[in-house]
Amino acid sequence: MSSLTYDLTLAGLSVGSAAALTGIGLIVTYRATGVLNFAHGAIAMVCAYVLRQCVVEWGWPLWLGAAVTLLVLAPGLGVVLERFVFRPLAVLGGDPAQTLVASIGVFVLLVGGAALLWGQGARDDAPVLVPDEPWGQLAVVLVLAAGVAAVVHRTRFGRELRAVVDDRRLAELGGIDADRVAATGWAFGSFTAGLTGVLLAPYVRLDPYGLSLLVMEVVAVAVAARMRSLTLAVVVALGIGVAQSQLTRLHPSGWAEPLLQAAGTNLFVVALLIAALVLPGVGERDALPRTATACVPTPPGAWIVVLVLFLLPLGLAGRDLHTSVQVPALAVILLSLVVVTGRGGQISLGQAAYAGLGALFTALLAAGRFPGLPALPELAALAVAVVLVAPLGLLTGWPAIGRRGLALALATFAVGVGVSRFVFAQPYATAGLSLGRPAGFEGDRAYYVLELLLLAVALLAAHTLRRGRTGRALAAMRDHERGAQAAGVGVPSLKLLAFVAGAALAALGGGMLGMGLRAFDAAAYDPVRGLLWFAAVVVLGADSTLGALAAAALLVGLDAGTRGGFAAALIGILAILVGRFPGGPYEALRTAAERLRPRRVPALTAVGARARGRLRPAAPETVRRAPVPRGATGVTRGAQGAGAGGRRGLRGDVSGSVPRGDAGRSGRGPSGRAATHLPSNDGHPSAGGPERGPEPPGSSAAARAEATPETSGPSSATRAGTTLGPSSGPRPRPAAPGGGAPSSTGPTTATAPAGLLLTARHLHAHYGRFTALDGVDLDLSPGRVTAVVGPNGAGKSTLFHCLAGTLQPARGTVRLGGRDITALPAHARTRLGVARTFQQLAVFPTLTVAENVRVGAEQGRVTDPGAVERTLRLLGLDGPVRALPAAGLPTGTLRRVELARVLAGSPRVLLLDEPAAGLDTAEVSALARVLKALAAEGTALLVVEHDLDLVAGLADVVHVMAAGRIVASGPPARVLDALEPEAGR
């Protein structure tokens, strides 16, 4: 081996050792807590600064400063973060996305705090803890890796660690102190971060931004190791370090020279791009924090205040006016995050890259240096730059199709870092660039007016994307991605639209910022600033255009009026607290004010009462019924209670029909049980109970039976002539003896169309080595209700997902009316008429009830403007509840909202996954009535259900599944009777 090769290998091992330390710390923290610590680099930077402060500024001995920094400060910082930042989030539910935002907040806070304490300039006098030779560093890495592996695999603590990672709540029930495990993981992770920082500081630039970002660039080694294998992380780190050193020997010539040189010096960034964009994503369960309630409309007065504040700089002059020029430009950039993150629910940490590309392309086009295009005026250059950058949004939009949460955050962060290192930091792209302002707008005041006009255009574009059909689809995708797919929303194309629109807005704002500064400054679009912008938008209300404007003014104003770093520190503190108010501080303040506001009951004065008595005679007193408690069912079952959990007993028709043998018994429900009285808002039996008077002529029996009162608002009485969903009025069903609903022993309707509608043949599905489906055949016919029952693990849900399109079978076919739809995704099947509901409610909490239903009407098989109102009337949702956000409504109401959304799209096949889950007996009875009426309309229904009472009273055919196969089929009476002896064993 030549001397040069040997020296370069040693240098690569030194760099790789530091990267391996980072990988070890990230993996241990992730395995102990489930958090990818984005603040790892910031902790490394703080420890490096503290060691320098102790040794250089205070004159401490190196060993003492290192001991205090690495053995006290670094682990203590990790314990503090776990105790006061991440443990409260775990107690509140452990949403991984909230911990992601909180870790970004810690990163921003530490970077801002370091800038406040030590300034933003670089330091080159950091003390050397380990000499610049690789063997000592490599020994440290190998000892740490071996020690951690031994602890994880051979000790009780390691078993507890693995248990906490797999299921924290179950581990706590098993007696494991999960808080202690998490605190230990954070302490060790912070120790490795501090060790990385003090090792790198003497050989790289020590500044709050550079060192933090440098450490985070090597997160690729942890991602390549799937956040699990310490050995693989060490090998990858050392390999990349050696390869990066060896590439410095290459001196290519020609047009590729600068690009190859950039790749050679940034091989860890290349690895990050490959790991984040090519390798399977980690943390797929993560999602962006969802607001608990619908977004509160911004008061008109707030917009007036904002308008006045944005016009105030026109009265300024000099430096103040020059600083104010940055506010509208930054506001446009932050609006791009409102579209992508706030409305679309996609984590995007790379918007700074698109803003920088917008500024760079504008400068190149104005200077005539853009390949293939002549020099353009500044305004034209800005417009063309926006058009050129917008398609580049696919760089982050395409990975977003298959990634969510943490995996998407890593992908967008990698794109931002890659653009920064391979474009902005390279002289071949930015050398000698200057950027002027458009003709006629050279002065600060004139240019500020132009910026306000462009900001108005951006606000209009953002408003268009956030309202109407597209806005509702984006909100549905944000609130519940699978539910949006089931509603017919084309999620992949919508994600691409969100990222392309976000890239265009960011490019517009970046070009405006560059012209305002009269130069292209790569530091203005650094990836660290991208993290700061993301955190600012999230904490001030991600789905609020007003929040983006406020964040822009706050960031520019604090940076100009205070010491550098103060704005970052403040945003970091707010981001750490984002789990406490995910809807933003405005919503938190509004909620607190509502709680503190005294509740006053309006009452007439004595004079008013006398006047009312003279004008309106008193109504005759009526006998009041005893109030029915909310959730009570009024069902008597001998010794059993009438709760949702008590349903099974007899398999009579719970839909309200009179069962066989009891047809002539008045006032009785199924199987001789007391008739159910649905509670109304005031606690009295509703108009839909047995005390109802004569029906108006022409009323719909199906709609009359289903229109149940609202439990969260005034009751909605059944209307005459109500239609059953978006189609024409329901056809009458043959009556059972005694005037009840049709009997469940025969077909659901006597006029059901012949032929099969949805068929499945030889379906096979596997989860690893486990066979979930083993050659299942299933037929669904129009106008008939098919039920699938069986124990947990029998394959019912897997079969359901294969039919709905959320899971592709390994073998077999699914056909709709003769058309093979096996390969079609869920949203495409919905638009063909195959709709589904979910066992866990799939509603969109930030949308109102009416907007939830409108999403189904706009994206379903048939677009019918009147479908929304008809469906709301059918399911008793046309009262005041229609304007309420779905968040916080009772489970029974939300079940009706989900069903209404499905029906608004006019489905031909309806797949119901445990529709009775969470409902009481009264609500199950109402659900059964509407499902029978849907079958009467010719809809093919498949019900996967554990409630055998509901199955017995509803289904025409019952299939029993076990071990991935259908083991019994037939009429419900025969099949369910055969199940009872087995259930009693």
Side-chain angles (χ1 to χ4, degrees):
M1 181 182 295
S2 67
S3 176
L4 178 59
T5 303
Y6 178 77
D7 292 341
L8 291 177
T9 301
L10 292 182
L13 289 175
S14 179
V15 174
S17 298
L21 284 174
T22 297
I24 292 172
L26 288 172
I27 290 174
V28 170
T29 304
Y30 184 82
R31 295 189 65 177
T33 64
V35 178
L36 176 59
N37 184 16
F38 263 82
H40 196 87
I43 295 173
M45 176 269 301
V46 168
C47 290
Y49 265 109
V50 170
L51 179 61
R52 178 192 173 277
Q53 182 73 26
C54 293
V55 175
V56 176
E57 300 293 339
W58 295 342
W60 290 14
L62 179 60
W63 66 269
L64 179 60
V68 171
T69 301
L70 297 179
L71 301 181
V72 178
L73 174 66
L77 185 57
V79 172
V80 168
L81 291 177
E82 190 279 331
R83 176 62 183 86
F84 296 103
V85 177
F86 296 100
R87 187 184 298 181
L89 293 177
V91 171
L92 291 174
D95 186 349
Q98 291 181 352
T99 60
L100 172 65
V101 176
S103 67
I104 294 175
V106 173
F107 177 93
V108 173
L109 172 61
L110 294 179
V111 169
L116 280 173
L117 291 175
W118 295 293
Q120 301 184 30
R123 306 297 178 94
D124 57 0
D125 56 349
V128 179
L129 182 63
V130 177
D132 187 17
E133 55 89 20
W135 304 118
Q137 298 180 12
L138 185 59
V140 171
V141 170
L142 295 178
V143 169
L144 281 177
V148 171
V151 169
V152 169
H153 295 288
R154 299 181 180 275
T155 66
R156 176 181 176 181
F157 178 79
R159 292 190 294 271
E160 293 179 348
L161 173 64
R162 295 196 301 272
V164 170
V165 172
D166 290 339
D167 193 321
R168 180 186 177 104
R169 296 186 182 276
L170 185 60
E172 290 175 340
L173 292 175
I176 297 175
D177 188 352
D179 292 336
R180 177 178 61 86
V181 173
T184 304
W186 271 101
F188 182 80
S190 296
F191 164 75
T192 60
L195 184 58
T196 303
V198 299
L199 291 178
L200 287 178
Y203 311 110
V204 299
R205 185 178 64 174
L206 177 57
D207 71 89
Y209 299 97
L211 182 59
S212 303
L213 184 60
L214 179 65
V215 173
M216 284 309 299
E217 288 175 0
V218 300
V219 71
V221 301
V223 178
R226 310 296 302 137
M227 304 301 295
R228 297 191 66 84
S229 174
L230 295 174
T231 303
L232 183 58
V234 172
V235 171
V236 170
L238 296 177
I240 295 176
V242 172
Q244 180 171 281
S245 295
Q246 295 295 337
L247 285 177
T248 59
R249 304 172 62 177
L250 300 179
H251 300 285
S253 59
W255 65 270
E257 176 183 0
L259 187 60
L260 292 177
Q261 288 181 346
T265 56
N266 294 279
L267 200 58
F268 279 100
V269 178
V270 176
L272 177 61
L273 287 168
I274 295 174
L277 300 178
V278 178
L279 296 180
V282 295
E284 290 293 341
R285 65 194 180 101
D286 301 353
L288 197 67
R290 296 172 185 149
T291 49
T293 59
C295 299
V296 181
T298 303
W303 282 107
I304 296 175
V305 172
V306 169
L307 178 62
V308 171
L309 292 177
F310 269 74
L311 291 177
L312 279 179
L314 294 176
L316 303 177
R319 182 178 179 182
D320 293 336
L321 178 59
H322 184 72
T323 300
S324 300
V325 165
Q326 302 176 45
V327 176
L330 183 56
V332 175
I333 297 174
L334 299 187
L335 280 177
S336 71
L337 282 166
V338 172
V339 172
V340 178
T341 299
R343 200 62 175 178
Q346 306 302 304
I347 297 178
S348 179
L349 305 181
Q351 292 302 106
Y354 296 119
L357 289 175
L360 178 61
F361 285 8
T362 302
L364 292 174
L365 288 165
R369 292 174 50 182
F370 198 91
L373 291 176
L376 298 174
E378 282 77 7
L379 272 181
L382 177 61
V384 173
V386 171
V387 174
L388 292 174
V389 173
L392 298 180
L394 298 176
L395 291 175
T396 48
W398 190 260
I401 294 178
R403 286 170 166 78
R404 295 186 300 274
L406 175 57
L408 180 56
L410 286 171
T412 55
F413 178 72
V415 170
V417 174
V419 171
S420 175
R421 290 290 184 260
F422 293 116
V423 179
F424 300 159
Q426 301 306 316
Y428 71 87
T430 61
L433 269 185
S434 62
L435 184 58
R437 294 178 179 176
F441 298 95
E442 291 86 354
D444 286 341
R445 186 170 285 104
Y447 183 70
Y448 187 81
V449 173
L450 175 63
E451 281 189 310
L452 291 180
L453 295 176
L454 294 175
L455 175 59
V457 173
L459 285 170
L460 180 61
H463 178 81
T464 302
L465 288 170
R466 295 175 65 250
R467 295 293 182 265
R469 174 174 177 168
T470 302
R472 283 187 289 271
L474 285 169
M477 179 178 70
R478 172 195 63 200
D479 288 352
H480 198 297
E481 186 172 313
R482 290 190 176 182
Q485 289 177 321
V489 175
V491 168
S493 59
L494 199 62
K495 286 183 177 181
L496 295 180
L497 172 64
F499 277 99
V500 168
L505 285 173
L508 175 61
M512 292 166 56
L513 185 60
M515 289 191 291
L517 299 175
R518 289 190 173 93
F520 173 75
D521 182 10
Y525 312 102
D526 190 88
V528 175
R529 290 191 179 272
L531 296 178
L532 174 61
W533 294 344
F534 175 82
V537 168
V538 169
V539 301
L540 292 177
D543 194 20
S544 169
T545 52
L546 186 64
L549 301 180
L554 181 68
L555 291 174
V556 174
L558 290 178
D559 277 342
T562 61
R563 188 174 178 181
F566 184 80
L570 177 61
I571 294 298
I573 294 173
L574 294 177
I576 290 173
L577 300 175
V578 72
R580 306 300 178 92
F581 46 92
Y586 171 74
E587 184 174 342
L589 291 174
R590 183 192 64 81
T591 304
E594 287 291 334
R595 291 176 179 175
L596 295 176
R597 183 178 300 169
R599 303 291 182 181
R600 296 183 179 180
V601 180
L604 291 173
T605 63
V607 176
R610 287 196 298 269
R612 184 181 64 177
R614 293 171 182 171
L615 294 174
R616 187 177 64 186
E621 292 187 2
T622 58
V623 178
R624 294 177 60 87
R625 301 178 184 273
V628 179
R630 179 170 298 187
T633 63
V635 178
T636 305
R637 305 168 159 224
Q640 292 185 4
R647 292 194 300 267
R648 180 57 190 96
L650 300 175
R651 294 191 306 275
D653 188 350
V654 298
S655 66
S657 63
V658 180
R660 296 176 295 278
D662 293 325
R665 211 174 288 178
S666 62
R668 305 294 291 176
S671 303
R673 292 175 292 188
T676 298
H677 294 233
L678 299 184
S680 65
N681 187 56
D682 58 1
H684 293 73
S686 70
E691 313 298 330
R692 189 198 311 270
E695 295 292 342
S699 64
S700 166
R704 179 180 68 246
E706 167 50 24
T708 57
E710 217 19 73
T711 58
S712 61
S715 299
S716 178
T718 304
R719 289 155 172 77
T722 301
T723 59
L724 182 63
S727 60
S728 60
R731 294 182 293 273
R733 293 167 45 82
S743 172
S744 63
T745 59
T748 305
T749 174
T751 59
L756 301 178
L757 188 53
L758 186 70
T759 61
R761 292 290 178 266
H762 312 298
L763 292 184
H764 291 77
H766 308 279
Y767 297 104
R769 297 182 179 179
F770 176 74
T771 299
L773 294 181
D774 188 9
V776 174
D777 295 338
L778 187 70
D779 297 324
L780 301 182
S781 300
R784 293 177 65 83
V785 181
T786 303
V788 177
V789 300
N792 290 330
K796 305 185 303 297
S797 296
T798 302
L799 172 62
F800 191 92
H801 292 316
C802 288
L803 298 176
T806 50
L807 177 67
Q808 293 293 322
R811 295 198 307 275
T813 60
V814 179
R815 293 182 176 275
L816 177 66
R819 175 180 177 180
D820 190 346
I821 62 171
T822 310
L824 292 183
H827 72 274
R829 299 191 191 192
T830 300
R831 294 177 180 179
L832 291 176
V834 181
R836 67 163 294 180
T837 64
F838 290 78
Q839 177 185 359
Q840 301 293 330
L841 282 166
V843 296
F844 312 128
T846 63
L847 297 180
T848 65
V849 169
E851 288 173 332
N852 269 269
V853 179
R854 193 171 298 279
V855 169
E858 292 170 340
Q859 307 289 339
R861 181 174 68 92
V862 177
T863 303
D864 183 358
V868 176
E869 296 302 324
R870 289 198 297 270
T871 309
L872 289 173
R873 285 198 302 271
L874 168 67
L875 295 176
L877 298 170
D878 57 334
V881 71
R882 63 179 297 153
L884 297 178
L889 293 178
T891 301
T893 303
L894 293 179
R895 285 288 179 197
R896 283 188 283 153
V897 172
E898 184 182 29
L899 184 58
R901 187 193 71 225
V902 170
L903 297 182
S906 301
R908 294 189 290 167
V909 178
L910 182 55
L911 310 176
L912 301 157
D913 191 2
E914 299 194 25
L919 303 184
D920 62 23
T921 306
E923 292 167 333
V924 171
S925 299
L927 173 68
R929 287 195 295 271
V930 78
L931 295 183
K932 279 178 171 281
L934 288 172
E937 287 294 299
T939 304
L941 280 81
L942 174 67
V943 179
V944 175
E945 183 56 64
H946 286 290
D947 184 350
L948 299 187
D949 279 339
L950 177 61
V951 171
L954 182 65
D956 299 293
V957 179
V958 177
H959 300 290
V960 180
M961 290 193 69
R965 298 180 179 180
I966 293 179
V967 297
S969 299
R974 176 169 62 84
V975 174
L976 297 181
D977 282 340
L979 286 179
E980 276 204 337
E982 298 182 8
R985 292 174 188 169

